[in-house]
Structures are given as structure tokens and as C-alpha cells.
């Protein structure tokens, strides 16, 4: 039987549901486990952690919106991650981790051989957490390092912390998607990020929505896009004090660069793929709902995903409907399915 997905959102978990989840994990029948915003007792959380520790088929784990709600649960999750070898994407958006909690998780994250996507948005992080996160970015032996990092809505991080992250992204990271939306970055931090983008050979998506930027930042970013060849394909600048004209100029330049790459790539089907770009070099795509493109490892069979009224057909195994980014759900509760329930999708 092909691995399937379990998706439950905002529901209290019964004992029977917890047993079913644990059985599926032990039988290696689950590739995606999403318990976003679910309510369960500490005993049941521990049972799930023990089951996922030995799961070899689980590629994506979503515990967004407060499921990991205490130091005890952080320790249980860390223990499970020390043993697990299959999880590629871990989502903890909206969990009250704080710097101390991330310090408990960090050793397991740093040693995990498969982890490439990490969502720590709205986790009450500060500069100490940034120091730990920077250590997760560069490749290390057989590890590829993080390729997608979300740090949305962590206002406790200071410009000093953001500058350290910018240096880490520029120096040796493999990050392709960096989401920093809804942080009070300002123009100074945006300038440092522009330098990081210009230096990075891998960064393709940068989300700076609602980060307090002005036309000064936009002009710096425009100069960067116009004068320096980068891998950047999507730059999100919505909800900033930036003129529509500047935003459109940046968008047009990025679109021109992508079209040129597509034409160059189509010149010969037998050409080798661009070194260092891998699967993410395939054209990005836009959700019909108009959200910005998000690159994510496909968690299950190639199929149409129906989430909150947005139906997207993945064009390749490395793409998933951007509405699966669960912070869209947390920011837009109306987008939640009307009757969230346990779903097995084979």
C-alpha cells in the first residue's frame, strides 16, 4: 500500500484517533501527518512522538498552532527527532517555543539527516534562536542543509540577529526559500538582505511582506535585481510603504530573468541541469488563488490538492499548492475547510 496522509485541523483528538495515527506510523503507512491546531493530552502527544520516532515513511510533519505547547512536549519531540531519519519538512508555526525551547530542539535538528524545510514562524524567537538557526543552514557531510526556512512574525529578533542570518544565507547556505514576512525589519535590514541575495547562488523566493519597508529599500532591491545576476525568482513586497511602480519594476525584471532561463533551458533537452540548482530549477508556478509561489517537497502521490477552496494540480514532484503553507490558514481562518476531519488520502 502506498504511503498516505493524515490531516486533522483544529479538532480534539480522541483516543481512537490517536491509536489510528500511531498504528499508521508504526506500519510506515503515513507520508504526511498534519495535526495543525489539534488538542490532545500530554500522554497522547508522547504516544505519537514514540511512534513517529521509528517511522521510515514520514516525510512531512505539521504541528502548527500550539500543538507543541510546553517544555515537556518540546523534549518529547526532540527525542523522537533524534531517532527518526525520514522527516524532510517540519512545521511548528505558532508554537510558543522561545529561545529556550529551540535550544532543546536544536541538537536533534542539527543531526537530522533528511530535514530540508523548517517553519518556525510566530514561535516567540529572539537573537539566541537565530544563532542556532544559522548553524542549521550550511551543508554538513551527508546533510544538504536547510533549503526552506520560515521565520515569519518573530518580532523579538533584533537587527543584530537579522544581520547574522543575512551573513549565514550569503556565505554557505543552500536556502532556496526564505520567508521573513511580518517582522519589523525596516530599510536597514532590507539592505543587508539585498547583499545576501546578491551573494547567494540558491535563493529563489524571498518573502518580505509586511516588514516595514519603504521606497528606499525597494530602490536598493531594484538595483540589485537589475545589475546583479541572481537565482531570485520571487520577491514578495506586499503590505509595505512601497510605490506600485517600484514593485512592478522589480516584478518585471524578475519575470524577464525567468523567461530567459526558460528559453535557455529549452534550447536542448539533452543538456545537463544547471549545477547546484537541482529540482527547484523547474519553473515556479502560481496558485489560482493568486498567492505567491512556494517551493515545497511533494509529501505524497502526485494528485490535485483541495485545501480551503484552492485546487492546484502539481506540475512536478517538487511543487505543492502554496495554500498548504499553513500560516495562510492561521492568518485567514475563513480559508479553513468547513468540516475538518481525519482524512486518509492514498
Amino acid at each position: 500500500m502506498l504511503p498516505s496522509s493524515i490531516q486533522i485541523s483544529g479538532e480534539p483528538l480522541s483516543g481512537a484517533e490517536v491509536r489510528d495515527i500511531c498504528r499508521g506510523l508504526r506500519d510506515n503507512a503515513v507520508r504526511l501527518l498534519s495535526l495543525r491546531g489539534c488538542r490532545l493530552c500530554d500522554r497522547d502527544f508522547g504516544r505519537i512522538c514514540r511512534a513517529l520516532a521509528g517511522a521510515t515513511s514520514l516525510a512531512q510533519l505539521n504541528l502548527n498552532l500550539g500543538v507543541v505547547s510546553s517544555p515537556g512536549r518540546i523534549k518529547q519531540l526532540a527525542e523522537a527527532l533524534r531517532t527518526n531519519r525520514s522527516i524532510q519538512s517540519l512545521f511548528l508555526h505558532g508554537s510558543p517555543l522561545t529561545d529556550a525551547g529551540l535550544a532543546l530542539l536544536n541538537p536533534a535538528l542539527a543531526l537530522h539527516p533528511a530535514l530540508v524545510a523548517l517553519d518556525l514562524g510566530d514561535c516567540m524567537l529572539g537573537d539566541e534562536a537565530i544563532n542556532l538557526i544559522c548553524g542549521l543552514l550550511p551543508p554538513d557531510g551527508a546533510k544538504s542543509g536547510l533549503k526552506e526556512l520560515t521565520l515569519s512574525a518573530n518580532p523579538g529578533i533584533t537587527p543584530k540577529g537579522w544581520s547574522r542570518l543575512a551573513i549565514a544565507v550569503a556565505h554557505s547556505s543552500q536556502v532556496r526559500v526564505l520567508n521573513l514576512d511580518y517582522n519589523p525589519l525596516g530599510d536597514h535590514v532590507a539592505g543587508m538582505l539585498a547583499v545576501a541575495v546578491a551573494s547567494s547562488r540558491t535563493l529563489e523566493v524571498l518573502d518580505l511582506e509586511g516588514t516595514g519597508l519603504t521606497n528606499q529599500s525597494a530602490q536598493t532591491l531594484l538595483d540589485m535585481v537589475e545589475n546583479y545576476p541572481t537565482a531570485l525568482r520571487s520577491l514578495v513586497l506586499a503590505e509595505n510603504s512601497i510605490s506600485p511602480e517600484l514593485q512592478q519594476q522589480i516584478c518585471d525584471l524578475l519575470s524577464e530573468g525567468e523567461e530567459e532561463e526558460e528559453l535557455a533551458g529549452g534550447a536542448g533537452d539533452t543538456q545537463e541541469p544547471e549545477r547546484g540548482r537541482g529540482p527547484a530549477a523547474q519553473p515556479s508556478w502560481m496558485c489560482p488563488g493568486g498567492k505567491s509561489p512556494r517551493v515545497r517537497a511533494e509529501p505524497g502521490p502526485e494528485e490535485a490538492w483541495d485545501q480551503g477552496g484552492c485546487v492546484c494540480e502539481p506540475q512536478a514532484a517538487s511543487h505543492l499548492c502554496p495554500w498548504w503553507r499553513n500560516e495562510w490558514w492561521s492568518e485567514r481562518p475563513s480559508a479553513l475547510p468547513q468540516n475538518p476531519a481525519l482524512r486518509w488520502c492514498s
Side-chain angles (χ1 to χ4, degrees), residues 311-336:
V311 181
C312 297
E313 190 71 33
Q315 300 300 311
S318 61
H319 294 293
L320 180 61
C321 168
W323 272 74
W324 186 244
R325 271 180 58 83
N326 291 279
E327 57 266 40
W328 287 118
W329 280 2
S330 62
E331 293 165 11
R332 297 164 176 79
S334 61
L336 281 168

PDB file of all heavy atoms in Angstrom, residues 311-336:
ATOM      1  N   VAL A 311      -7.704  24.678  -5.545  1.00  0.00           N
ATOM      2  CA  VAL A 311      -7.362  23.387  -6.135  1.00  0.00           C
ATOM      3  C   VAL A 311      -6.243  23.606  -7.125  1.00  0.00           C
ATOM      4  O   VAL A 311      -6.386  24.342  -8.085  1.00  0.00           O
ATOM      5  CB  VAL A 311      -8.572  22.763  -6.849  1.00  0.00           C
ATOM      6  CG1 VAL A 311      -8.195  21.415  -7.422  1.00  0.00           C
ATOM      7  CG2 VAL A 311      -9.738  22.636  -5.896  1.00  0.00           C
ATOM      8  N   CYS A 312      -5.104  22.996  -6.866  1.00  0.00           N
ATOM      9  CA  CYS A 312      -3.955  23.147  -7.751  1.00  0.00           C
ATOM     10  C   CYS A 312      -3.452  21.779  -8.166  1.00  0.00           C
ATOM     11  O   CYS A 312      -3.371  20.876  -7.354  1.00  0.00           O
ATOM     12  CB  CYS A 312      -2.814  23.895  -7.052  1.00  0.00           C
ATOM     13  SG  CYS A 312      -3.256  25.578  -6.605  1.00  0.00           S
ATOM     14  N   GLU A 313      -3.088  21.631  -9.399  1.00  0.00           N
ATOM     15  CA  GLU A 313      -2.517  20.389  -9.892  1.00  0.00           C
ATOM     16  C   GLU A 313      -1.011  20.536  -9.898  1.00  0.00           C
ATOM     17  O   GLU A 313      -0.471  21.342 -10.660  1.00  0.00           O
ATOM     18  CB  GLU A 313      -3.002  20.109 -11.323  1.00  0.00           C
ATOM     19  CG  GLU A 313      -2.645  18.713 -11.812  1.00  0.00           C
ATOM     20  CD  GLU A 313      -3.460  17.620 -11.123  1.00  0.00           C
ATOM     21  OE1 GLU A 313      -4.618  17.890 -10.804  1.00  0.00           O
ATOM     22  OE2 GLU A 313      -2.922  16.533 -10.919  1.00  0.00           O
ATOM     23  N   PRO A 314      -0.280  19.828  -9.052  1.00  0.00           N
ATOM     24  CA  PRO A 314       1.172  19.964  -9.044  1.00  0.00           C
ATOM     25  C   PRO A 314       1.741  19.645 -10.413  1.00  0.00           C
ATOM     26  O   PRO A 314       1.376  18.655 -11.031  1.00  0.00           O
ATOM     27  CB  PRO A 314       1.611  18.937  -7.993  1.00  0.00           C
ATOM     28  CG  PRO A 314       0.423  18.764  -7.119  1.00  0.00           C
ATOM     29  CD  PRO A 314      -0.767  18.902  -8.038  1.00  0.00           C
ATOM     30  N   GLN A 315       2.672  20.487 -10.861  1.00  0.00           N
ATOM     31  CA  GLN A 315       3.281  20.282 -12.162  1.00  0.00           C
ATOM     32  C   GLN A 315       4.499  19.366 -12.078  1.00  0.00           C
ATOM     33  O   GLN A 315       4.982  18.886 -13.084  1.00  0.00           O
ATOM     34  CB  GLN A 315       3.694  21.638 -12.752  1.00  0.00           C
ATOM     35  CG  GLN A 315       2.510  22.573 -12.934  1.00  0.00           C
ATOM     36  CD  GLN A 315       1.470  21.986 -13.864  1.00  0.00           C
ATOM     37  OE1 GLN A 315       1.800  21.521 -14.949  1.00  0.00           O
ATOM     38  NE2 GLN A 315       0.225  21.992 -13.434  1.00  0.00           N
ATOM     39  N   ALA A 316       5.023  19.202 -10.899  1.00  0.00           N
ATOM     40  CA  ALA A 316       6.181  18.334 -10.726  1.00  0.00           C
ATOM     41  C   ALA A 316       6.214  17.892  -9.283  1.00  0.00           C
ATOM     42  O   ALA A 316       5.564  18.473  -8.429  1.00  0.00           O
ATOM     43  CB  ALA A 316       7.473  19.085 -11.085  1.00  0.00           C
ATOM     44  N   ALA A 317       7.012  16.863  -9.010  1.00  0.00           N
ATOM     45  CA  ALA A 317       7.027  16.290  -7.661  1.00  0.00           C
ATOM     46  C   ALA A 317       7.593  17.258  -6.633  1.00  0.00           C
ATOM     47  O   ALA A 317       7.446  17.053  -5.446  1.00  0.00           O
ATOM     48  CB  ALA A 317       7.839  15.003  -7.650  1.00  0.00           C
ATOM     49  N   SER A 318       8.266  18.330  -7.074  1.00  0.00           N
ATOM     50  CA  SER A 318       8.860  19.263  -6.118  1.00  0.00           C
ATOM     51  C   SER A 318       7.967  20.456  -5.842  1.00  0.00           C
ATOM     52  O   SER A 318       8.389  21.403  -5.208  1.00  0.00           O
ATOM     53  CB  SER A 318      10.206  19.763  -6.660  1.00  0.00           C
ATOM     54  OG  SER A 318      10.013  20.434  -7.883  1.00  0.00           O
ATOM     55  N   HIS A 319       6.720  20.436  -6.321  1.00  0.00           N
ATOM     56  CA  HIS A 319       5.838  21.575  -6.118  1.00  0.00           C
ATOM     57  C   HIS A 319       4.547  21.144  -5.445  1.00  0.00           C
ATOM     58  O   HIS A 319       3.998  20.099  -5.743  1.00  0.00           O
ATOM     59  CB  HIS A 319       5.515  22.245  -7.451  1.00  0.00           C
ATOM     60  CG  HIS A 319       6.701  22.865  -8.088  1.00  0.00           C
ATOM     61  ND1 HIS A 319       7.351  23.954  -7.557  1.00  0.00           N
ATOM     62  CD2 HIS A 319       7.380  22.548  -9.207  1.00  0.00           C
ATOM     63  CE1 HIS A 319       8.358  24.283  -8.327  1.00  0.00           C
ATOM     64  NE2 HIS A 319       8.402  23.449  -9.323  1.00  0.00           N
ATOM     65  N   LEU A 320       4.066  21.991  -4.562  1.00  0.00           N
ATOM     66  CA  LEU A 320       2.811  21.730  -3.855  1.00  0.00           C
ATOM     67  C   LEU A 320       2.044  23.028  -3.771  1.00  0.00           C
ATOM     68  O   LEU A 320       2.615  24.099  -3.697  1.00  0.00           O
ATOM     69  CB  LEU A 320       3.107  21.205  -2.446  1.00  0.00           C
ATOM     70  CG  LEU A 320       1.915  20.886  -1.553  1.00  0.00           C
ATOM     71  CD1 LEU A 320       1.052  19.802  -2.181  1.00  0.00           C
ATOM     72  CD2 LEU A 320       2.404  20.421  -0.197  1.00  0.00           C
ATOM     73  N   CYS A 321       0.741  22.943  -3.805  1.00  0.00           N
ATOM     74  CA  CYS A 321      -0.099  24.137  -3.730  1.00  0.00           C
ATOM     75  C   CYS A 321       0.343  25.028  -2.574  1.00  0.00           C
ATOM     76  O   CYS A 321       0.468  24.558  -1.455  1.00  0.00           O
ATOM     77  CB  CYS A 321      -1.553  23.724  -3.526  1.00  0.00           C
ATOM     78  SG  CYS A 321      -2.623  25.104  -3.081  1.00  0.00           S
ATOM     79  N   PRO A 322       0.606  26.317  -2.855  1.00  0.00           N
ATOM     80  CA  PRO A 322       1.100  27.191  -1.787  1.00  0.00           C
ATOM     81  C   PRO A 322       0.113  27.392  -0.657  1.00  0.00           C
ATOM     82  O   PRO A 322       0.480  27.860   0.401  1.00  0.00           O
ATOM     83  CB  PRO A 322       1.380  28.507  -2.527  1.00  0.00           C
ATOM     84  CG  PRO A 322       0.581  28.437  -3.770  1.00  0.00           C
ATOM     85  CD  PRO A 322       0.500  26.983  -4.140  1.00  0.00           C
ATOM     86  N   TRP A 323      -1.166  27.055  -0.875  1.00  0.00           N
ATOM     87  CA  TRP A 323      -2.118  27.153   0.242  1.00  0.00           C
ATOM     88  C   TRP A 323      -1.804  26.125   1.315  1.00  0.00           C
ATOM     89  O   TRP A 323      -2.348  26.194   2.411  1.00  0.00           O
ATOM     90  CB  TRP A 323      -3.548  26.996  -0.260  1.00  0.00           C
ATOM     91  CG  TRP A 323      -4.098  28.303  -0.678  1.00  0.00           C
ATOM     92  CD1 TRP A 323      -3.791  28.991  -1.810  1.00  0.00           C
ATOM     93  CD2 TRP A 323      -5.015  29.117   0.040  1.00  0.00           C
ATOM     94  NE1 TRP A 323      -4.459  30.168  -1.838  1.00  0.00           N
ATOM     95  CE2 TRP A 323      -5.224  30.273  -0.733  1.00  0.00           C
ATOM     96  CE3 TRP A 323      -5.683  28.978   1.249  1.00  0.00           C
ATOM     97  CZ2 TRP A 323      -6.083  31.278  -0.325  1.00  0.00           C
ATOM     98  CZ3 TRP A 323      -6.531  29.980   1.645  1.00  0.00           C
ATOM     99  CH2 TRP A 323      -6.724  31.118   0.870  1.00  0.00           C
ATOM    100  N   TRP A 324      -0.945  25.150   0.997  1.00  0.00           N
ATOM    101  CA  TRP A 324      -0.550  24.201   2.042  1.00  0.00           C
ATOM    102  C   TRP A 324       0.376  24.852   3.057  1.00  0.00           C
ATOM    103  O   TRP A 324       0.627  24.313   4.122  1.00  0.00           O
ATOM    104  CB  TRP A 324       0.115  22.980   1.404  1.00  0.00           C
ATOM    105  CG  TRP A 324       0.394  21.923   2.409  1.00  0.00           C
ATOM    106  CD1 TRP A 324       1.595  21.435   2.799  1.00  0.00           C
ATOM    107  CD2 TRP A 324      -0.569  21.220   3.206  1.00  0.00           C
ATOM    108  NE1 TRP A 324       1.455  20.490   3.767  1.00  0.00           N
ATOM    109  CE2 TRP A 324       0.135  20.337   4.030  1.00  0.00           C
ATOM    110  CE3 TRP A 324      -1.951  21.255   3.297  1.00  0.00           C
ATOM    111  CZ2 TRP A 324      -0.506  19.499   4.929  1.00  0.00           C
ATOM    112  CZ3 TRP A 324      -2.580  20.422   4.195  1.00  0.00           C
ATOM    113  CH2 TRP A 324      -1.860  19.551   5.000  1.00  0.00           C
ATOM    114  N   ARG A 325       0.921  26.036   2.726  1.00  0.00           N
ATOM    115  CA  ARG A 325       1.645  26.797   3.749  1.00  0.00           C
ATOM    116  C   ARG A 325       0.634  27.190   4.809  1.00  0.00           C
ATOM    117  O   ARG A 325      -0.223  28.033   4.597  1.00  0.00           O
ATOM    118  CB  ARG A 325       2.259  28.060   3.137  1.00  0.00           C
ATOM    119  CG  ARG A 325       3.634  27.827   2.579  1.00  0.00           C
ATOM    120  CD  ARG A 325       4.158  29.117   1.993  1.00  0.00           C
ATOM    121  NE  ARG A 325       4.181  30.163   2.996  1.00  0.00           N
ATOM    122  CZ  ARG A 325       5.152  30.335   3.876  1.00  0.00           C
ATOM    123  NH1 ARG A 325       6.154  29.521   3.894  1.00  0.00           N
ATOM    124  NH2 ARG A 325       5.113  31.335   4.741  1.00  0.00           N
ATOM    125  N   ASN A 326       0.737  26.598   5.976  1.00  0.00           N
ATOM    126  CA  ASN A 326      -0.362  26.680   6.932  1.00  0.00           C
ATOM    127  C   ASN A 326      -0.516  28.036   7.587  1.00  0.00           C
ATOM    128  O   ASN A 326      -1.520  28.311   8.210  1.00  0.00           O
ATOM    129  CB  ASN A 326      -0.190  25.589   7.981  1.00  0.00           C
ATOM    130  CG  ASN A 326      -0.420  24.248   7.365  1.00  0.00           C
ATOM    131  OD1 ASN A 326      -1.545  23.830   7.192  1.00  0.00           O
ATOM    132  ND2 ASN A 326       0.659  23.571   6.960  1.00  0.00           N
ATOM    133  N   GLU A 327       0.509  28.921   7.454  1.00  0.00           N
ATOM    134  CA  GLU A 327       0.289  30.229   8.023  1.00  0.00           C
ATOM    135  C   GLU A 327      -0.775  30.997   7.252  1.00  0.00           C
ATOM    136  O   GLU A 327      -1.388  31.909   7.785  1.00  0.00           O
ATOM    137  CB  GLU A 327       1.579  31.049   8.099  1.00  0.00           C
ATOM    138  CG  GLU A 327       2.292  31.241   6.787  1.00  0.00           C
ATOM    139  CD  GLU A 327       3.341  30.178   6.605  1.00  0.00           C
ATOM    140  OE1 GLU A 327       3.072  29.013   6.951  1.00  0.00           O
ATOM    141  OE2 GLU A 327       4.427  30.517   6.114  1.00  0.00           O
ATOM    142  N   TRP A 328      -1.008  30.626   5.958  1.00  0.00           N
ATOM    143  CA  TRP A 328      -2.137  31.241   5.272  1.00  0.00           C
ATOM    144  C   TRP A 328      -3.425  30.920   6.029  1.00  0.00           C
ATOM    145  O   TRP A 328      -4.303  31.755   6.159  1.00  0.00           O
ATOM    146  CB  TRP A 328      -2.237  30.721   3.841  1.00  0.00           C
ATOM    147  CG  TRP A 328      -1.198  31.248   2.925  1.00  0.00           C
ATOM    148  CD1 TRP A 328      -0.233  30.540   2.261  1.00  0.00           C
ATOM    149  CD2 TRP A 328      -0.983  32.615   2.556  1.00  0.00           C
ATOM    150  NE1 TRP A 328       0.554  31.369   1.524  1.00  0.00           N
ATOM    151  CE2 TRP A 328       0.119  32.642   1.684  1.00  0.00           C
ATOM    152  CE3 TRP A 328      -1.617  33.806   2.894  1.00  0.00           C
ATOM    153  CZ2 TRP A 328       0.585  33.824   1.131  1.00  0.00           C
ATOM    154  CZ3 TRP A 328      -1.141  34.983   2.333  1.00  0.00           C
ATOM    155  CH2 TRP A 328      -0.058  34.983   1.476  1.00  0.00           C
ATOM    156  N   TRP A 329      -3.526  29.692   6.499  1.00  0.00           N
ATOM    157  CA  TRP A 329      -4.719  29.309   7.261  1.00  0.00           C
ATOM    158  C   TRP A 329      -4.782  30.082   8.579  1.00  0.00           C
ATOM    159  O   TRP A 329      -5.822  30.567   8.980  1.00  0.00           O
ATOM    160  CB  TRP A 329      -4.699  27.816   7.526  1.00  0.00           C
ATOM    161  CG  TRP A 329      -5.151  27.017   6.354  1.00  0.00           C
ATOM    162  CD1 TRP A 329      -5.525  27.482   5.126  1.00  0.00           C
ATOM    163  CD2 TRP A 329      -5.295  25.614   6.297  1.00  0.00           C
ATOM    164  NE1 TRP A 329      -5.868  26.457   4.318  1.00  0.00           N
ATOM    165  CE2 TRP A 329      -5.743  25.283   4.998  1.00  0.00           C
ATOM    166  CE3 TRP A 329      -5.094  24.587   7.206  1.00  0.00           C
ATOM    167  CZ2 TRP A 329      -5.993  23.979   4.606  1.00  0.00           C
ATOM    168  CZ3 TRP A 329      -5.334  23.285   6.812  1.00  0.00           C
ATOM    169  CH2 TRP A 329      -5.779  22.988   5.522  1.00  0.00           C
ATOM    170  N   SER A 330      -3.640  30.197   9.257  1.00  0.00           N
ATOM    171  CA  SER A 330      -3.666  30.850  10.557  1.00  0.00           C
ATOM    172  C   SER A 330      -4.000  32.326  10.409  1.00  0.00           C
ATOM    173  O   SER A 330      -4.608  32.916  11.294  1.00  0.00           O
ATOM    174  CB  SER A 330      -2.317  30.676  11.264  1.00  0.00           C
ATOM    175  OG  SER A 330      -1.278  31.282  10.535  1.00  0.00           O
ATOM    176  N   GLU A 331      -3.579  32.965   9.295  1.00  0.00           N
ATOM    177  CA  GLU A 331      -3.884  34.376   9.091  1.00  0.00           C
ATOM    178  C   GLU A 331      -5.264  34.569   8.505  1.00  0.00           C
ATOM    179  O   GLU A 331      -5.844  35.636   8.615  1.00  0.00           O
ATOM    180  CB  GLU A 331      -2.850  34.997   8.155  1.00  0.00           C
ATOM    181  CG  GLU A 331      -1.457  35.070   8.753  1.00  0.00           C
ATOM    182  CD  GLU A 331      -0.413  35.349   7.703  1.00  0.00           C
ATOM    183  OE1 GLU A 331      -0.797  35.679   6.566  1.00  0.00           O
ATOM    184  OE2 GLU A 331       0.775  35.234   8.008  1.00  0.00           O
ATOM    185  N   ARG A 332      -5.775  33.553   7.849  1.00  0.00           N
ATOM    186  CA  ARG A 332      -7.060  33.653   7.179  1.00  0.00           C
ATOM    187  C   ARG A 332      -7.935  32.486   7.594  1.00  0.00           C
ATOM    188  O   ARG A 332      -8.081  31.517   6.858  1.00  0.00           O
ATOM    189  CB  ARG A 332      -6.855  33.655   5.665  1.00  0.00           C
ATOM    190  CG  ARG A 332      -6.056  34.864   5.199  1.00  0.00           C
ATOM    191  CD  ARG A 332      -5.547  34.640   3.781  1.00  0.00           C
ATOM    192  NE  ARG A 332      -4.853  35.811   3.272  1.00  0.00           N
ATOM    193  CZ  ARG A 332      -3.606  36.137   3.582  1.00  0.00           C
ATOM    194  NH1 ARG A 332      -2.934  35.380   4.412  1.00  0.00           N
ATOM    195  NH2 ARG A 332      -3.032  37.214   3.080  1.00  0.00           N
ATOM    196  N   PRO A 333      -8.493  32.518   8.817  1.00  0.00           N
ATOM    197  CA  PRO A 333      -9.277  31.380   9.320  1.00  0.00           C
ATOM    198  C   PRO A 333     -10.440  31.013   8.414  1.00  0.00           C
ATOM    199  O   PRO A 333     -10.877  29.873   8.406  1.00  0.00           O
ATOM    200  CB  PRO A 333      -9.765  31.866  10.689  1.00  0.00           C
ATOM    201  CG  PRO A 333      -8.830  32.953  11.083  1.00  0.00           C
ATOM    202  CD  PRO A 333      -8.415  33.606   9.800  1.00  0.00           C
ATOM    203  N   SER A 334     -10.953  31.966   7.640  1.00  0.00           N
ATOM    204  CA  SER A 334     -12.086  31.653   6.773  1.00  0.00           C
ATOM    205  C   SER A 334     -11.713  30.667   5.683  1.00  0.00           C
ATOM    206  O   SER A 334     -12.575  30.074   5.040  1.00  0.00           O
ATOM    207  CB  SER A 334     -12.622  32.931   6.130  1.00  0.00           C
ATOM    208  OG  SER A 334     -11.620  33.551   5.334  1.00  0.00           O
ATOM    209  N   ALA A 335     -10.398  30.492   5.461  1.00  0.00           N
ATOM    210  CA  ALA A 335      -9.983  29.568   4.411  1.00  0.00           C
ATOM    211  C   ALA A 335      -9.970  28.119   4.875  1.00  0.00           C
ATOM    212  O   ALA A 335      -9.727  27.214   4.092  1.00  0.00           O
ATOM    213  CB  ALA A 335      -8.576  29.940   3.917  1.00  0.00           C
ATOM    214  N   LEU A 336     -10.219  27.898   6.166  1.00  0.00           N
ATOM    215  CA  LEU A 336     -10.217  26.532   6.670  1.00  0.00           C
ATOM    216  C   LEU A 336     -11.367  25.731   6.067  1.00  0.00           C
ATOM    217  O   LEU A 336     -12.446  26.270   5.817  1.00  0.00           O
ATOM    218  CB  LEU A 336     -10.377  26.527   8.196  1.00  0.00           C
ATOM    219  CG  LEU A 336      -9.115  26.831   8.994  1.00  0.00           C
ATOM    220  CD1 LEU A 336      -9.491  27.079  10.442  1.00  0.00           C
ATOM    221  CD2 LEU A 336      -8.129  25.704   8.887  1.00  0.00           C
TER     222      LEU A 336
END
